[in-house]
Amino acid sequence: MARRLLLLTTTALSLLVQHAAGIGQETCVSFQSSSSTFSVVSGRRAAPVLISQEDWPGVQLAAADFVADIERVTGVKPSFRNVTTSDIQASGSQTPTIIGALGKSPIVDRIVNTTGLDVSSIQGQWEAFLSRRVENPLPGVSSAYVIIGADKWGTIYALYDHSEQFGVSPWYWWADVPTTKQSQLFVSASGCSHGSPAVKYRGIFLNDEQLALQSWAQGKFMNGTGAPFNHLFYGKVFELILRHRGNYLWPAMWSGKFAVDGPLNQPLADFYGVVMGTSHQEPMMRSTPNEFDAGKWNYSTNRTLSSSTGLKERNELALTSPSTP
Ligand SMILES: *[C@@H]1O[C@H](CO)[C@@H](O)[C@H](O)[C@H]1NC(C)=O
Ligand SMILES: *[C@@H]1O[C@H](CO)[C@@H](O)[C@H](O)[C@H]1NC(C)=O
Ligand SMILES: *[C@@H]1O[C@H](CO)[C@@H](O)[C@H](O)[C@H]1NC(C)=O
Ligand SMILES: *[C@@H]1O[C@H](CO)[C@@H](O)[C@H](O)[C@H]1NC(C)=O
Ligand SMILES: *[C@@H]1O[C@H](CO)[C@@H](O)[C@H](O)[C@H]1NC(C)=O
């Protein structure tokens, strides 16, 4: 029986974790083959994972996690490449896994166009996804397992849904939940799917982060000096939220200033698709003790300056990719 429960209290994030598939999750992964399965890994060979360079950066990040998760489970690392439809045709008789967001991945759009794959159940639906085995998806490819999201989130959730069923807990990093090793991984021809969630924005907030979380993050990500809540920290938080199929975060706010502490924090939230809000008395993501109380920042007097400065920084930063934390 699948159980996953996340409790938030005013003083701590308390967790009860059981290693199993998530609540309400459709099963499409198995560890033994049958006539209706597609091989992700078998006989120490992994199906290549193909994606389009034009897809969302957040989908790229989650796809890299999906590939790493297959290796965590099986010890076999699939080849992982950006391709165009003509690259796929030229490389011949593979049976790849193909990942992409509708309207964003030319490969996925081409497969939908040429095979008539029915995506009406997800098209235009917030966060929806489907996956399935498709025969002759493109010239030269006999069979592929396609993972298609209606949007950035849907595609990311489809990947983490598979990862969780492969046996990688959303808590593998934060709580060191071990991964059960498998020598083979299969997915069903009919795949998994999910429609739009009943709750549009789902997330967590970091509360009372000082002393414990802040001191830990400072040691872990900053060698004990400097602002601890940087993109290395938030990259891990964003991944955790998305692996739980969340999409929303209120960041550390006591002595933390999300947009200032790490110049890559905002672009990274955008890449991952995590929507940012603020908690407590911190409008505009500024810090109470360090800015409001110290008289350094006041919406009435600083709004123009800070928003134009922020935009300029953001545009410059968005041009440079953050390294995957
Ligand atoms: C694909 O291209 C994007 C954009 O250039 C890049 O960020 C990503 O790392 C590439 N992915 C792979 C698997 O090479
Ligand atoms: C899919 O088909 C539509 C309508 O025929 C066309 O406009 C579009 O360019 C096609 N897209 C791809 C990626 O082949
Ligand atoms: C922390 O120190 C290690 C070892 O010297 C170094 O590799 C790493 O880049 C440092 N991290 C930061 C955030 O300064
Ligand atoms: C912010 O500025 C306004 C206008 O000058 C002022 O009335 C208000 O007291 C200031 N707020 C704080 C917290 O300093
Ligand atoms: C807020 O505005 C004041 C007065 O113009 C300026 O001295 C201060 O540096 C600004 N604070 C920030 C954080 O931009």
Side-chain angles (χ1 to χ4, degrees), residues 286 291 296-297 301-302 305:
R286 310 307 303 217
E291 297 189 297
K296 291 181 189 161
W297 197 92
T301 49
N302 290 86
L305 178 64

Side-chain angles (χ1 to χ4, degrees), residues 135-150:
E135 306 308 327
N136 305 309
L138 295 164
V141 182
S142 58
S143 178
Y145 186 68
V146 293
I147 298 178
I148 305 179

Side-chain angles (χ1 to χ4, degrees), residues 47-94:
V49 175
L50 307 178
I51 189 165
S52 166
Q53 183 168 1
E54 291 171 44
D55 219 318
W56 299 104
V59 169
Q60 292 278 353
L61 293 173
D65 285 343
F66 174 82
V67 168
D69 289 343
I70 292 171
E71 189 180 14
R72 281 187 183 100
V73 173
T74 64
V76 182
K77 186 175 179 136
S79 80
F80 176 38
R81 282 175 292 139
N82 278 321
V83 292
T84 62
T85 46
S86 31
D87 294 337
I88 301 180
Q89 277 166 241
S91 63
S93 61
Q94 312 163 328

